[in-house]
């Protein structure tokens, strides 16, 4: 869907913020950023929701809220919404807890518990093992490297991983990665459905047209088979 | 006005809400404060660009390893032990005299956590994400990188679950340096393509 998250090629958002270019920026700029990141990862590993549901929740944010907020506010908005919509924790329960929890502060740079708890151990195992996204292929791939394709005119308001600036653009298959789990099936049905994934190459002219203002470049994006159609 | 100074919610209100959310997730059995502590600590201390820098330094000094990295980055990086969440599937792309690579995620902020750590703020906020796919040379200039006109840019939008590693060019004057010394020249910015490797 072309929500506020889909910013590729959008004008008027401004230069990269000067302070952000400081190489010594910490991983988390405020303690709540680290806790939001970590509690989300923990809830996902413990089955509260999945990564695609979390991403879709961010896509559903009101535009101004998305644009004018701390990055981890996106995560907070989405996790709250997903938990509310799934009937796990309601917005009202969080409102109530905020009212009653009293003052408190988060400890920056927390340490691992000693001894490690069972759940902490499990999280370390998953963090370092990962959760592969590839799946056995259920049908042959439609395209191979070198094939000319065009991105379909897709405008569904549900979850996918098609950047809007690629709609209707002609390009060339650069790589076929194999079958990966389809993000829409995962976000909307919580199932793993194999879907062929490709790296597709687009020239600057194919994307943006006109004369190159500042040199030519190529752009590569990773796109699922159903986002594409043949372009002889 | 920018995202640094302005926020939809006050920072203390975000903190209060995140604290409330965490305590409710703990009560419902989906989290545990100690596990959250451990995950924050792992992100802050165990993962980060030094891991990616070790991969790059090995590629600079071991042609066979570089060949493997370019052909099957997932296996070559796993060989160094850097598997994990958001580091399951890799493609490595090499900067040369006539090609420069840069990485963006226009839809969110996909980034190889185990290999490079938590993405820096510039990677996560919309300014870089909007512009890297349309005016990469201007964006590079903002980061202080002026490429020769003959250098072609390849921009990689990580729109699915493949994660990218840029192998920067090995700087001049580094002959005879050890792998550990070389790794110190490789910043996370160089491995996402908004900087060159540092000079010794």
């Amino acid at each position: 869907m072309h929500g506020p998250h889909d910013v590729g090629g959008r004008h008027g958002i401004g230069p990269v913020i000067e302070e952000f270019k400081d190489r010594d920026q910490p991983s988390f700029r405020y303690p709540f950023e680290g806790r939001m990141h970590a509690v989300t990862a923990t809830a996902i590993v413990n089955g509260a929701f999945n990564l695609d549901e979390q991403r879709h929740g961010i896509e559903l944010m009101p535009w101004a809220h998305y644009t004018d907020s701390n990055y981890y506010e996106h995560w907070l908005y989405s996790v709250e919404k997903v938990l509310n919509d799934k009937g796990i924790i309601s917005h009202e329960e969080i409102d109530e807890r905020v009212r009653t929890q009293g003052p408190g502060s988060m400890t920056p740079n927390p340490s691992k518990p000693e001894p490690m708890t069972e759940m902490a151990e499990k999280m370390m195992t998953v963090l370092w093992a990962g959760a592969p996204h590839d799946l056995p292929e259920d049908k042959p791939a439609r395209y191979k490297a070198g094939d000319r394709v065009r991105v379909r005119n897709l405008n569904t308001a549900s979850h996918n991983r098609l950047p809007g600036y690629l709609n209707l653009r002609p390009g060339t298959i650069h790589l076929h990665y194999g079958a990966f789990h389809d993000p829409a099936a995962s976000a909307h049905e919580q199932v793993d459905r194999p879907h062929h994934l490709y790296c597709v190459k687009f020239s600057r002219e194919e994307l943006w047209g006109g004369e190159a203002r500042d040199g030519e470049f190529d752009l590569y994006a990773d796109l699922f088979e159903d986002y594409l159609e043949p372009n002889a | 006005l920018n995202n640094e100074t302005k926020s939809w919610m006050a920072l203390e209100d975000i903190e209060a809400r995140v604290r409330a959310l965490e305590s409710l997730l703990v009560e419902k059995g989906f989290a545990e404060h100690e596990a959250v502590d451990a995950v924050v600590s792992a992100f802050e201390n165990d993962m980060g660009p030094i891991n990616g820098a070790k991969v790059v330094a090995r590629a600079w000094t071991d042609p066979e390893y570089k060949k493997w990295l370019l052909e099957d980055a997932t296996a070559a990086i796993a060989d160094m032990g850097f598997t994990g969440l958001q580091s399951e599937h890799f493609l490595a792309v090499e900067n040369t005299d006539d090609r420069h690579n840069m990485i963006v995620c226009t839809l969110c902020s996909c980034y190889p956590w185990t290999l490079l750590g938590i993405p820096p703020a510039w990677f996560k906020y919309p300014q870089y994400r909007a512009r890297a796919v349309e005016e990469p040379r201007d964006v590079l200039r903002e980061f202080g990188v002026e490429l020769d006109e003959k250098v072609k840019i390849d921009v990689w939008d990580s729109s699915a679950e493949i994660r990218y590693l840029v192998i920067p060019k090995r700087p001049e004057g580094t002959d005879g340096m050890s792998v550990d010394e070389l790794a110190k020249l490789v910043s996370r910015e160089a491995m996402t393509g908004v900087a060159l490797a540092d000079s010794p």
Side-chain angles (χ1 to χ4, degrees), chain A residues 9 11 21 29 35 55 66-68 71 73 80 95 97 102 112 117 128 131 133 165 218 220 222, chain B residues 3-4 7 17 19 22-23 27 32 46 83 88-89 109 130 134 142 152 155 157 159 161 164:
Chain A
H11 295 153
K21 290 186 272 186
R29 297 165 58 241
R35 293 210 86 75
R55 286 199 182 121
Y66 182 93
T67 313
D68 296 341
Y71 171 78
E73 246 179 286
E80 269 200 45
D95 291 342
R97 182 60 52 93
K112 290 178 191 147
T117 62
W128 287 102
H133 304 270
Y165 71 94
D218 289 327
Y220 299 77
D222 295 331
Chain B
N3 302 90
E4 173 53 23
S7 195
R17 219 162 167 85
R19 200 153 57 87
E22 181 178 328
S23 68
E27 286 168 24
E32 190 186 74
D46 307 337
T83 52
E88 292 97 346
H89 311 279
S109 52
E134 197 196 0
E142 268 171 46
K152 205 202 86 195
V155 181
D157 188 351
S159 44
E161 300 296 351
Y164 290 85

Side-chain angles (χ1 to χ4, degrees), chain A residues 158-194:
Chain A
S158 48
H159 183 60
N160 63 23
R161 293 292 290 175
L162 175 62
Y165 71 94
L166 296 176
N167 249 26
L168 288 168
R169 298 293 183 243
T172 307
I173 300 287
H174 176 63
L175 290 170
H176 171 228
Y177 292 117
F180 278 65
H181 91 182
D182 179 67
S186 176
H188 297 295
E189 303 167 53
Q190 293 80 50
V191 296
D192 276 333
R193 185 172 302 150

Side-chain angles (χ1 to χ4, degrees), chain A residues 4 14 23 35 40 43 46 69 81-83 105 112 124 130 148 152 175 185 193 199 201 205 209 217 221 225 227:
Chain A
R23 282 195 189 179
R35 293 210 86 75
T40 303
N46 287 309
S69 48
K81 177 174 170 50
V82 170
L83 291 171
S105 61
K112 290 178 191 147
M124 293 306 101
R148 291 288 291 164
R152 291 173 57 211
L175 290 170
R193 185 172 302 150
C199 180
K201 176 181 180 176
E205 191 185 3
F217 64 90
E225 187 167 274
Y227 303 172

Side-chain angles (χ1 to χ4, degrees), chain A residues 7-30:
Chain A
V7 299
R10 291 283 142 201
H11 295 153
I13 301 181
V16 177
I17 292 162
E18 204 55 42
E19 183 186 333
F20 289 174
K21 290 186 272 186
D22 177 359
R23 282 195 189 179
D24 297 327
Q25 285 253 318
S27 297
F28 300 115
R29 297 165 58 241
Y30 307 100

Side-chain angles (χ1 to χ4, degrees), chain B residues 121-133:
Chain B
W122 58 263
F123 192 87
K124 294 186 282 205
Y125 282 72
Q127 292 81 7
Y128 175 82
R129 293 164 42 213
R131 293 171 52 225
V133 296

